[in-house]
Amino acid sequence: PQVQRSFSIGHPDQSCPKETITVSIATFPERMASLKKALDSIYPWVDRINIFLNDYEMVPEFLQDSKIHTQLSEVDQGDNGKFYWSESIQGYHFTCDDDITYSRQYFEVLLAAIEKYNRTAIVGMHGSILNKEKEIDFYSESDRITWSYRETIPQDRRVDFLGTGAMAYHSEGVQVPFHIFQSINMTDAYLGTYAKKMDIPLIRCTSDTALLEDNNETLEHSIYLDSLDNKPTKFNRREMVNNYLKSNW
């Protein structure tokens, strides 16, 4: 199997022809500096990069590149925008965040994992399971056990949720319809409930070293932090996520 070969997936000597590797990201103007860092780390390893531009009036010059494809938002789609192209993408699809930098090994590990699970799973480096004995509070450490992308784990784990900023799948075996993301900034919860309904395995992959790094030292807001601290911002989705999961999990 190609996951046992000594060369990387995408190498000319692998056992099947190279297929397109696409990355999709949603962003907004305040994240321009961190987006540039994320793109610098992604660009050499993929074939196509989709950028959904929330609240931009025009496409920035640094995104005007033959490998990069952009979409200006008519309304703020939040992180849903990273799935804007999901129904038309063929091949490997990575969804990434604008505040993380990605190593070459990250792409190699997830590509190998997709093949390991016969293209029928969604794989990633940030996963969690709900504590079934607790009332659902998605942003409570006691109600959800998380294996962060900042840490290593000794073996793959099947999980309830994957962080959509650090995951991938192949269109041959997994379809992710855009319409499942009903409200903005809740993609982890929507994807988890969709995968459960469709019996799609979500796999937090093993690695012997951390493959991702934060590049968000100066960011004022994020979905995770604002929801964790229950801040009065559009990024705080704590109550909406909990109500959704209580009704749909």
Side-chain angles (χ1 to χ4, degrees):
Q2 71 185 41
V3 294
Q4 296 178 348
R5 301 290 182 88
S6 59
F7 41 75
S8 305
I9 291 180
H11 189 282
D13 292 334
Q14 72 180 55
S15 57
C16 67
K18 185 178 187 298
E19 297 186 59
T20 301
I21 301 172
T22 301
V23 162
S24 298
I25 299 175
T27 191
F28 57 97
E30 290 80 0
R31 294 277 183 93
M32 189 178 295
S34 61
L35 174 63
K36 289 179 179 179
K37 294 178 183 178
L39 287 177
D40 285 345
S41 71
I42 292 166
Y43 192 95
W45 318 123
V46 305
D47 302 299
R48 176 186 172 112
I49 302 173
N50 297 323
I51 309 290
F52 192 90
L53 297 167
N54 289 299
D55 299 331
Y56 275 83
E57 295 183 359
M58 61 182 63
V59 177
E61 185 176 353
F62 75 94
L63 296 179
Q64 296 175 21
D65 180 286
S66 60
K67 188 185 284 191
I68 299 174
H69 302 261
T70 58
Q71 176 65 43
L72 293 168
S73 65
E74 295 182 3
V75 295
D76 184 3
Q77 290 283 354
D79 68 339
N80 296 2
K82 69 183 76 166
F83 293 96
Y84 177 80
W85 296 269
S86 62
E87 295 177 37
S88 61
I89 288 172
Q90 298 295 311
Y92 301 103
H93 186 205
F94 286 74
T95 54
C96 295
D97 279 350
D98 58 6
D99 58 351
I100 295 174
T101 54
Y102 300 81
S103 66
R104 174 177 179 171
Q105 188 183 1
Y106 167 77
F107 292 99
E108 293 175 349
V109 166
L110 291 199
L111 288 167
I114 289 170
E115 299 304 321
K116 177 181 177 180
Y117 293 99
N118 298 313
R119 301 184 175 182
T120 61
I122 304 175
V123 302
M125 295 305 298
H126 188 92
S128 62
I129 59 173
L130 289 176
N131 186 341
K132 306 302 190 294
E133 298 179 356
K134 297 279 188 175
E135 182 178 355
I136 293 176
D137 185 350
F138 193 74
Y139 290 97
S140 167
E141 292 184 0
S142 65
D143 289 11
R144 189 164 60 114
I145 303 168
T146 300
W147 292 274
S148 168
Y149 62 81
R150 301 178 185 91
E151 61 187 287
T152 62
I153 60 172
Q155 61 187 20
D156 291 354
R157 299 192 67 106
R158 185 160 181 174
V159 294
D160 295 329
F161 303 95
L162 284 173
T164 58
M167 56 156 260
Y169 61 91
H170 195 288
S171 63
E172 179 183 283
V174 175
Q175 292 78 45
V176 181
F178 183 55
H179 69 78
I180 69 170
F181 305 103
Q182 300 162 23
S183 297
I184 67 170
N185 299 333
M186 293 172 51
T187 55
D188 294 5
Y190 286 132
L191 185 77
T193 53
Y194 173 75
K196 180 182 180 184
K197 177 182 177 181
M198 304 302 293
D199 197 26
I200 300 171
L202 301 181
I203 307 295
R204 199 304 196 176
C205 298
T206 182
S207 68
D208 55 11
T209 184
L211 306 178
L212 309 173
E213 293 183 359
D214 295 316
N215 70 33
N216 59 359
E217 296 88 351
T218 61
L219 297 185
E220 184 176 355
H221 297 289
S222 74
I223 297 169
Y224 174 72
L225 291 176
D226 286 22
S227 298
L228 182 68
D229 297 335
N230 222 8
K231 294 181 179 178
T233 72
K234 69 177 181 179
F235 300 99
N236 178 5
R237 310 305 281 174
R238 187 171 193 150
E239 182 177 358
M240 289 195 67
V241 168
N242 290 341
N243 289 338
Y244 174 78
L245 291 176
K246 289 171 183 176
S247 300
N248 293 278
W249 188 251

